[in-house]
Amino acid sequence: MKKMYFTCGPSQLFKTVPKHILTALSTDIPSISHRSILFQQIHEHTVSSLKKLLNIPSNFHIFFTGSSLESMERIIQNCVHTYSFHFINGAFSKKFYTIASELHKKPNGYTAPLGQSFPAIETIKINKNVELICITKNETSTGIEFPDEEIRKIRNRYPHVLIAIDTVSSVPYCNIDFSKIDITFFSVQKGFGLPAGLSVLIVNDKAIEKSLSLSQKKISTGSYHNFSSLEEKYIKHQTPETPNALAIYLLGKVCDDLQQIKLDTIRKNIEKKAAMIYSYFDNHILFQPFIKNVQIRSKTTIPIITGKHTLPLIQYLIKNNLYVSSGYGNFKEEHIRIANFPAHSMTNINTLIHAIQEYTKISLCEDGRLEKKQ
Ligand SMILES: *Cc1c(COP(=O)(O)O)cnc(C)c1O
């Protein structure tokens, strides 16, 4: 049986990826020069397909970086002189904050209690001098979604502050309203079902202006990947460094495929699959979803409290060629996390649930509890 990856990233490849890799090899894409017309055409195609798929307005520029952690670092370097503000509700939002601090900025933040939502935005104090507000749309470590209405409220309250949203593990499921944000970024190994090693950093004119104003003040905005170097090459359909042309090519192809299926259909499917997963675990005798508040439950990366069963369950699933993520950080031996990306079909999710059901039966029998339940 073929292995299935419900891991949070890298994850299962989108079904058309092997075919596109073969085409890329047979047309020598890994060998072509990144200064050639052929590369420029690939770049142009990927950018335009991505813009169409995600409805990205023309005042946004699309840059490629090596990872989303790199994108976080570039955003801080290019958009913050001194003060950033971070909504922290897990390891990835915390990382954004830490990067700002490591770059010797003065980040501030609001940390939500573990597994819970943020309070109403009106009650969170954000200083007037903050230059950038950072939000994680889907906090992969804790499985919490940041509601779109809250992003709208933040924009209305702070119309002049740059807003960056990390959409790494929710794109293309999340429907980004580009009029409410200035910057977003994601890696391709999560929702796009591609190999890791490429991040897409999408920034508007206002973010580029901020970067220029920092350079004029002799503040370092980085070197080859500062916004002006990225922009200079972007308009020529190139990248400053020798890029992962294969990854850029594959992203364009998967964007085409997703458009064929229609993003709306993909989103509805993700919701259906998520509902199946949550309803199974909401009624489970041994396990429960980590997030209790249904309003903020992630649809794409779902942590389940599995307690002492965590390691045996993961082992059991591996024996059945099914791979899930363990819990993040301190939850490593307490949770499993299940990814629900466009690459995962309804049948895949059914297979996983069925296997977990089998594990549950075996373990209840071993404990002599099965009769009790019946
Ligand atoms: C995975 C992830 C990242 C980091 O992505 P890399 O490609 O590993 O740098 C950042 N933010 C979120 C929400 C993630 O899920």
Side-chain angles (χ1 to χ4, degrees), residues 85-266:
F85 186 91
H86 302 257
F87 284 86
I88 301 169
N89 59 353
F92 289 102
S93 38
K94 183 71 190 292
K95 186 75 190 166
F96 212 163
Y97 171 92
T98 307
I99 286 175
S101 160
E102 284 168 346
L103 290 171
H104 298 162
K105 310 293 179 187
K106 294 197 170 71
N108 227 308
Y110 186 97
T111 304
L114 197 64
Q116 291 180 32
S117 58
F118 290 101
I121 177 68
E122 298 79 25
T123 66
I124 295 179
K125 194 173 174 301
I126 300 181
N127 275 335
K128 284 271 180 299
N129 52 12
V130 160
E131 300 151 81
L132 173 76
I133 296 176
C134 302
I135 297 165
T136 306
K137 178 65 194 155
N138 185 73
E139 177 48 78
T140 317
S141 62
T142 44
I144 300 178
E145 202 178 299
F146 198 96
D148 289 331
E149 312 86 76
E150 295 301 308
I151 298 176
R152 270 192 285 280
K153 280 195 217 156
I154 293 169
R155 170 58 108 205
N156 294 341
R157 239 176 128 75
Y158 304 97
H160 304 297
V161 181
L162 292 171
I163 297 178
I165 50 170
D166 170 344
T167 49
V168 179
S169 55
S170 56
V171 90
Y173 167 69
C174 64
N175 198 347
I176 306 165
D177 181 349
F178 283 91
S179 69
K180 302 292 177 231
I181 63 154
D182 302 284
I183 301 158
T184 187
F185 59 96
F186 56 86
S187 307
V188 301
Q189 76 273 17
K190 306 212 175 166
F192 282 92
L194 284 161
L198 180 72
S199 169
V200 182
L201 170 58
I202 306 176
V203 310
N204 68 6
D205 294 337
K206 203 168 134 193
I208 292 185
E209 280 157 27
K210 173 76 185 193
S211 164
L212 289 174
S213 86
L214 293 182
S215 307
Q216 279 158 8
K217 289 181 194 135
K218 304 278 177 241
I219 306 292
S220 170
T221 54
S223 57
Y224 74 106
H225 267 183
N226 64 26
F227 287 1
S228 6
S229 308
L230 286 162
E231 173 68 9
E232 188 191 322
K233 294 296 183 197
Y234 169 70
I235 53 178
K236 295 188 203 160
H237 294 294
Q238 291 184 2
T239 55
E241 81 289 24
T242 316
N244 187 339
L246 175 62
I248 295 173
Y249 168 83
L250 294 174
L251 174 61
K253 289 296 173 188
V254 168
C255 287
D256 294 348
D257 297 334
L258 292 171
Q259 281 182 73
Q260 282 266 304
I261 307 170
K262 297 239 173 356
L263 206 43
D264 203 37
T265 310
I266 290 166

Side-chain angles (χ1 to χ4, degrees), residues 5 9 13 30 35 38 72 77 92 100 115 120 133 185 189 201 207-208 227 233 242 244 279 314 319 360-361 372:
Y5 288 87
L13 293 181
R35 301 292 173 232
L38 213 55
M72 289 179 186
Q77 284 176 316
F92 289 102
I133 296 176
F185 59 96
Q189 76 273 17
L201 170 58
I208 292 185
F227 287 1
K233 294 296 183 197
T242 316
N244 187 339
S279 101
I314 289 175
K319 274 198 220 117
T360 309
K361 273 191 208 150
K372 240 192 266 172

